[in-house]
């Protein structure tokens, strides 16, 4: 969250990262209005250009190394990329994202979308102010913080459009296996597969009616120690800490009570608080009365039109505690598998190329050579579909090589039915999953 850090914290980080002479130069540049105290936008980018002005060319490699140290002090590594979760049924879920971090109840959908826009395009113009408003109250801000200031969370996020986008998304349903284009499903085989599915899979992957307008989807969590798929994404989400900067002093409600955001805080808290405040702040580009009306309207429609109410997460996970308010995030979500045929590669990190491969055990050094196992390396990027294994073609072309031995890329875990089933049974299950 480079947008959040304030000048005081940036100065402290500079002092830690550089020798006295360089730190003094950088701080001087900072003081000379290159970065004004109210300007919070892309502070780091500005620092980089400041740095280039300051650095002597002949010591550039050395300076770049220092810059890297500074970057590490300011940012958490984005080292656990995930496969894009499919978007149908999103509006009908109680919790979304692979680790179930985002509740859909109340104004959740707008909050979640605002968080996503912040991650990619939004410009944020957050400034300290003395004025309190309905927005600062909704956002959980109090004037009791360190400097007695409140923050105005103006941003380029168009909440109006996000609401429209979300209501359109609510009508999206999962695609059916297109028998006119792909080979016909063998119904006999699929029937046998259904039995296996009910036996081994349905306890976590609920069956839903794909086009029932009042369908509701309850996320079923499985904690990391039991699912055993790659832990990194969930761990980052639950444990990353960051500088809270201007958000310091805000109270944030969580399932176990209110948390006071301190100088160093959980990234999950900082992000939740930031999105909550952005949603609570009316769009600055509009004429004041329109702005106020739209804002109230968006919040009301999102909250009251939403049939998803706040509920407890289901499944197997550690509850949030006062000691670790984010313990429940150390788990992954199993969702209904309707439309799953169209969404390869599989698992949250996209580490398994096809449904058939997911039913094989992981390749270990002690695997018998006869045993088939999940590929430890495969090519991604093809649009050619493999209707047999159910996934995209994953070898024989120049694409991106996905290597499962890299950090966050493990294809281990989710061992359900991988060793108990015979090969013909695996194919029956695959056939059944085509019908979902
Ligand atoms: C104990 C709960 C549980 C059982 C039983 C279970 N799964 Fe899963 N499944 C999960 C979880 C949790 C995930 C997400 C894991 C991840 O992404 O790291 C998942 C992911 C998947 C995915 C990938 C989804 C995607 O969007 O990429 C498929 C396909 C799948 N399961 C199929 C099955 C099949 C087939 C069975 C039965 C043989 C089964 N599951 C049994 C919990 C379960």
């Amino acid at each position: 969250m480079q947008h959040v850090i304030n000048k005081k914290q940036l100065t402290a980080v500079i002092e830690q990262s550089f020798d006295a002479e360089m730190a003094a130069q950088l701080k001087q540049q900072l003081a000379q209005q290159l970065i004004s105290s109210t300007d919070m936008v892309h502070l780091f980018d500005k620092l980089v250009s400041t740095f280039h002005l300051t650095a002597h060319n002949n010591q550039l490699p050395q300076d770049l190394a220092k810059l890297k140290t500074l970057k590490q002090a300011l940012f958490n590594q984005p080292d656990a990329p995930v496969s894009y979760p499919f978007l149908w049924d999103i509006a009908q879920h109680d919790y979304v994202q692979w680790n179930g971090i985002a509740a859909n109840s109340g104004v959740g959908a707008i909050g979640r979308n605002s968080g996503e826009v912040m991650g990619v395009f939004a410009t944020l113009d957050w400034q300290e102010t003395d004025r309190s408003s309905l927005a600062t109250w909704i956002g959980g801000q109090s004037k009791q913080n360190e400097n007695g200031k409140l923050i105005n969370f103006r941003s380029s996020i168009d909440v109006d459009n996000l609401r429209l986008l979300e209501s359109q998304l609510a009508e999206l349903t999962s695609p059916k296996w297109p028998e006119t284009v792909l080979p016909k499903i063998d119904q006999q085989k699929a029937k046998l597969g259904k039995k296996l599915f009910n036996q081994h899979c349905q306890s976590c992957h609920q069956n839903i009616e794909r086009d029932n307008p009042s369908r509701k989807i309850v996320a079923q969590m499985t904690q990391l120690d039991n699912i055993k798929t790659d832990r990194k994404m969930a761990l980052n989400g639950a444990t990353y800490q960051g500088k809270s900067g201007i958000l310091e002093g805000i109270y944030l409600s969580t399932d176990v009570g209110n948390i006071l955001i301190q100088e160093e805080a959980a990234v999950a808290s900082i992000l939740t608080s930031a999105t909550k405040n952005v949603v609570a702040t009316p769009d600055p580009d509009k004429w004041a009365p329109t702005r106020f009306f739209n804002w109230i309207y968006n919040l009301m429609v999102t909250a009251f039109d939403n049939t998803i109410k706040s509920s407890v997460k289901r499944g197997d996970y550690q509850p949030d505690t006062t000691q670790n308010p984010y313990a429940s995030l150390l788990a992954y979500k199993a969702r209904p598998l309707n439309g799953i045929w169209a969404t390869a590669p599989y698992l949250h990190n996209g580490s398994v190329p096809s449904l058939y491969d997911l039913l094989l055990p992981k390749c270990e050094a002690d695997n018998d050579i006869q045993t088939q196992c999940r590929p430890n390396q495969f090519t991604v990027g093809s649009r050619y579909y493999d209707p047999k294994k159910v996934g995209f073609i994953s070898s024989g072309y120049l694409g991106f090589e996905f290597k499962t031995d890299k950090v966050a890329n493990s294809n281990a875990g989710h061992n359900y039915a991988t060793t108990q089933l015979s090969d013909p049974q695996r194919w029956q299950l695959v056939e059944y999953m085509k019908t979902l």
Side-chain angles (χ1 to χ4, degrees):
M1 291 287 289
Q2 66 165 313
H3 308 287
V4 162
I5 193 165
N6 61 12
K7 200 167 161 183
K8 186 178 122 206
Q9 292 184 348
L10 186 60
T11 312
V13 173
I14 289 173
E15 279 166 2
Q16 282 160 20
S17 307
F18 297 102
D19 57 44
E21 194 191 341
M22 183 57 112
Q25 278 186 41
L26 282 171
K27 283 194 295 187
Q28 202 187 353
Q29 299 274 6
L30 275 174
Q32 285 168 1
Q33 292 305 308
L34 267 172
I35 299 172
S36 75
S37 62
T38 51
D39 190 357
M40 295 295 166
V41 183
H42 294 288
L43 213 44
F44 187 74
D45 294 346
K46 286 187 181 148
L47 187 72
V48 172
S49 49
T50 310
F51 190 82
H52 279 297
L53 289 178
T54 317
H56 307 295
N57 276 344
N58 56 356
Q59 59 183 72
L60 207 58
Q62 212 185 337
D63 290 341
L64 285 177
K66 285 180 193 155
L67 200 57
K68 206 170 154 196
T69 323
L70 176 68
K71 198 164 184 178
Q72 276 163 358
L74 288 176
F75 296 97
N76 287 303
Q77 289 287 324
D79 57 2
V82 290
S83 168
Y84 208 87
F86 43 91
L87 292 183
W88 48 83
D89 304 334
I90 278 275
Q92 289 79 12
H93 267 87
D94 50 357
Y95 288 89
V96 296
Q97 303 295 9
W98 290 106
N99 56 352
I101 192 174
N104 243 346
S105 57
V107 292
I110 286 192
R112 153 167 60 78
N113 285 317
S114 303
E116 279 149 22
V117 183
M118 272 191 231
V120 282
F121 309 117
T123 48
L124 309 169
D125 178 15
W126 298 350
Q127 303 192 346
E128 286 182 327
T129 133
D130 289 320
R131 285 178 49 205
S132 56
S133 62
L134 196 52
T136 54
W137 179 74
I138 293 179
Q141 298 190 53
S142 78
K143 268 201 170 183
Q144 270 85 50
N145 74 11
E146 221 183 50
N147 348 313
K149 296 274 186 195
L150 295 159
I151 306 146
N152 184 351
F153 282 86
R154 281 164 37 136
S155 72
S156 65
I157 297 172
D158 190 331
V159 176
D160 237 0
N161 279 350
L162 285 183
R163 183 181 57 73
L164 293 173
L165 221 139
E166 187 68 22
S167 64
Q168 195 180 14
L169 193 62
E171 289 169 24
L172 183 70
T173 55
S174 53
K176 285 187 182 151
W177 180 268
E179 289 204 323
T180 46
V181 189
L182 297 174
K184 281 205 163 18
I185 296 175
D186 178 338
Q187 294 298 342
Q188 278 306 98
K189 219 166 153 185
K191 218 170 142 191
L192 296 169
K194 183 174 181 169
K195 269 198 189 149
L196 293 169
F197 191 88
N198 290 346
Q199 218 177 323
H200 296 281
C201 322
Q202 211 194 356
S203 56
C204 295
H205 297 285
Q206 187 194 350
N207 274 326
I208 60 154
E209 278 177 73
R210 57 152 47 72
D211 41 18
N212 179 349
S214 53
R215 65 192 182 280
K216 284 205 178 72
I217 295 157
V218 176
Q220 185 81 17
M221 307 305 296
T222 308
Q223 57 177 303
L224 296 183
D225 288 345
N226 293 334
I227 190 82
K228 295 187 167 67
T229 52
D230 197 285
R231 306 169 71 89
K232 191 84 172 103
M233 182 257 158
L235 268 179
N236 287 359
T239 60
Y240 265 174
Q241 297 275 315
K243 305 242 176 279
S244 62
I246 53 171
L247 298 179
E248 188 178 345
I250 289 182
Y251 282 92
L252 177 72
S253 66
T254 73
D255 287 350
V256 287
N258 287 349
I259 292 180
L260 171 65
I261 298 188
Q262 294 184 300
E263 185 173 354
E264 189 87 17
V267 168
S269 311
I270 297 175
L271 194 64
T272 315
S273 174
T275 48
K276 203 169 150 190
N277 277 285
V278 166
V279 171
T281 305
D283 190 340
D285 292 340
K286 296 201 177 101
W287 182 53
T290 324
R291 175 187 346 162
F292 187 72
F293 175 76
N294 276 354
W295 172 65
I296 292 278
Y297 181 78
N298 283 329
L299 292 184
M300 303 279 259
V301 169
T302 316
F304 294 125
D305 232 22
N306 193 350
T307 56
I308 308 289
K309 304 291 171 221
S310 166
S311 59
V312 178
K313 275 185 199 165
R314 238 199 270 174
D316 151 39
Y317 63 93
Q318 300 291 329
D320 293 335
T321 59
T322 46
Q323 198 180 13
N324 184 1
Y326 295 103
S328 64
L329 296 182
L330 295 170
Y332 290 119
K333 189 178 90 172
R335 54 188 286 175
L337 297 178
N338 48 310
I340 193 72
W341 65 270
T343 69
Y346 297 104
L347 295 183
H348 72 274
N349 56 359
S351 60
V352 179
S354 73
L355 286 181
Y356 176 72
D357 291 315
L358 186 64
L359 299 176
L360 297 173
K362 175 168 173 55
C363 296
E364 304 281 6
D366 56 358
N367 274 148
D368 181 344
I369 315 172
Q370 306 297 320
T371 322
Q372 285 199 80
C373 52
R374 292 178 189 166
N376 282 338
Q377 181 170 340
F378 58 96
T379 318
V380 290
S382 171
R383 293 190 174 194
Y384 286 98
Y385 192 71
D386 176 354
K388 186 157 190 273
K389 286 189 173 176
V390 183
F392 292 99
I393 303 288
S394 57
S395 65
Y397 59 94
L398 279 176
F400 179 81
E401 281 301 298
F402 188 101
K403 296 180 179 155
T404 59
D405 58 355
K406 291 207 159 170
V407 174
N409 278 6
S410 165
N411 61 347
H414 195 280
N415 290 321
Y416 311 108
T418 50
T419 49
Q420 302 98 309
L421 297 188
S422 67
D423 208 44
Q425 285 178 316
R426 287 193 187 113
W427 289 113
Q428 289 162 9
L429 252 180
V430 170
E431 204 66 13
Y432 172 64
M433 282 193 274
K434 291 181 187 174
T435 69
L436 295 175

